[in-house]
Amino acid sequence: MSEDLHALQKRLAEFAAARDWQQYHTPKNLAAALSVEASELVEIFQWLTPEESAKVMSDPTSAGRVEDEVADVLAYLLQFCDAVGVDVLKALAAKIERNETRFPVKGAGRANRHSME
């Protein structure tokens, strides 16, 4: 990856500051915007079969849409974390550790229906 997350957060903050948008980047607004962008990502897959969804990146048009929405989700997540003081990588590492304890491996090759809740 050419830029680390902290550098991207800084670029996003500078982008918003240059446009005087920080006044709108409250935790509430950023959380709402994150939800909207995540919904736009879901919308791309809404009516696809599981097989079609697995191939979505093979079509340049849909791949571009997915990449744009992933970028929007990540941008708002990073801005939200910056606004509330969450170290996103530290939070993720801690969550993975908790889930490894909560959901121990019960047998090789066994699928677990639980997500990282």
Side-chain angles (χ1 to χ4, degrees):
M1 199 159 54
S2 61
E3 289 188 79
D4 68 14
L5 291 180
H6 296 292
L8 291 170
Q9 280 179 306
K10 185 177 181 214
R11 282 184 66 193
L12 288 165
E14 289 169 353
F15 181 88
R19 290 151 181 82
D20 198 27
W21 290 352
Q22 359 32 336
Q23 62 186 316
Y24 306 111
H25 287 188
T26 65
K28 178 190 84 65
N29 288 350
L30 292 168
L34 175 59
S35 176
V36 169
E37 295 302 337
S39 295
E40 289 178 4
L41 179 60
V42 171
E43 183 181 31
I44 296 167
F45 295 90
Q46 185 174 11
W47 302 113
L48 301 181
T49 65
E51 296 78 18
E52 290 169 335
S53 71
K55 297 176 186 172
V56 75
M57 297 305 287
S58 63
D59 173 55
T61 300
S62 62
R65 289 180 61 214
V66 168
E67 289 172 355
D68 281 349
E69 296 310 331
V70 165
D72 288 342
V73 168
L74 183 57
Y76 279 117
L77 179 60
L78 292 177
Q79 290 174 93
F80 175 83
C81 288
D82 191 42
V84 298
V86 170
D87 180 325
V88 68
L89 294 178
K90 184 177 176 182
L92 178 57
K95 183 64 175 185
I96 291 170
E97 264 185 52
R98 286 193 304 278
N99 281 340
E100 288 170 341
T101 302
R102 285 180 65 203
F103 305 107
V105 176
K106 294 186 173 142
R110 294 192 54 149
N112 188 341
R113 295 182 314 175
H114 301 284
S115 66
M116 289 182 29
E117 333 175 309

